[in-house]
Amino acid sequence: MKSNYDVLGNHIRLVDIRNQDLATKRVLGISIDKAFMPSVANVIGTDLSKYKLLEKGRFACNPMHVGRDERLPVALCEEVDPAIISPAYFMFEVCDNTVLTEEYLMMWLRRPEFDRECWFHTDGSVRGGILWEDICRLEIPIPSIEKQREIVAAYKAITDRIELKKQINDNLVA
């Protein structure tokens, strides 16, 4: 059954582009729910040129709290406007979009099973971090690109329906 599984490291690569030209001052963090959020860090007096420049289609993850939170905070940037993230975060991208789509990868990274496997690979530090090499050794299924698009479309339809139902429920409560 695991015939289409492959190690993640064969399909992603680290990206380290810094905000040297101060293209933006919008600092983002990653929530435990795997979404970008405005950073709560105090950056007054901080050299923002050392922060990593996040652009559409790139992922960022905070490898430092996996053991504590039992989740890998990771998110896919879907916004056109650039932002910056902590230099301590990993920023990566898909190597070949004809083999693996960003949307499919993000869908897989949201799975509780993926978080459990990350948690299993955390180091012995107080926070329980995970190394880039350990992330790259994790295996995920890589079906055909057409199948990936079908899966993502079905997932999006379900999540959109759930969001609509929540809005209807909120209106009924109001």
Side-chain angles (χ1 to χ4, degrees):
M1 189 65 183
K2 281 190 133 186
S3 63
N4 65 341
Y5 275 67
D6 197 5
V7 292
L8 199 48
N10 290 341
H11 302 282
I12 60 173
R13 65 176 162 245
L14 275 175
V15 177
D16 190 359
I17 299 172
R18 302 297 170 129
N19 190 30
Q20 292 175 343
D21 299 330
L22 298 176
T24 183
K25 292 183 180 181
R26 186 170 67 114
V27 183
L28 297 178
I30 306 169
S31 74
I32 197 74
D33 296 320
K34 302 185 186 255
F36 287 108
M37 63 180 192
S39 176
V40 295
N42 180 0
V43 293
I44 297 171
T46 303
D47 182 4
L48 297 180
S49 69
K50 294 187 186 326
Y51 276 57
K52 294 181 180 179
L53 188 60
L54 181 66
E55 295 176 334
K56 184 177 171 92
R58 292 205 177 118
F59 294 82
C61 73
N62 178 353
M64 296 173 281
H65 300 285
V66 178
R68 181 190 74 188
D69 299 329
E70 298 180 11
R71 290 185 183 179
L72 176 67
V74 61
L76 169 62
C77 182
E78 298 179 296
E79 297 179 16
V80 175
D81 295 332
I84 52 177
I85 57 170
S86 168
Y89 288 2
F90 296 142
M91 187 168 63
F92 61 95
E93 65 188 6
V94 171
C95 298
D96 185 354
N97 289 9
T98 64
V99 177
L100 178 65
T101 67
E102 287 98 358
E103 296 84 6
Y104 176 81
L105 177 57
M106 189 62 222
M107 189 189 79
W108 190 261
L109 298 176
R110 284 188 181 108
R111 293 173 54 96
E113 293 86 353
F114 183 82
D115 285 328
R116 270 195 297 280
E117 192 166 354
C118 286
W119 180 72
F120 179 75
H121 289 280
T122 57
D123 61 23
S125 70
V126 172
R127 292 180 175 163
I130 189 167
L131 302 173
W132 174 250
E133 293 78 19
D134 291 328
I135 292 172
C136 288
R137 281 193 288 267
L138 298 174
E139 291 186 347
I140 66 167
I142 313 271
S144 70
I145 204 76
E146 296 82 18
K147 188 69 173 170
Q148 288 179 45
R149 289 186 181 123
E150 285 176 30
I151 293 168
V152 168
Y155 178 79
K156 185 168 175 19
I158 291 168
T159 55
D160 289 350
R161 177 70 54 109
I162 290 169
E163 185 59 35
L164 179 62
K165 296 285 187 187
K166 283 181 185 176
Q167 290 174 1
I168 291 169
N169 288 345
D170 290 346
N171 287 341
L172 290 172
V173 169

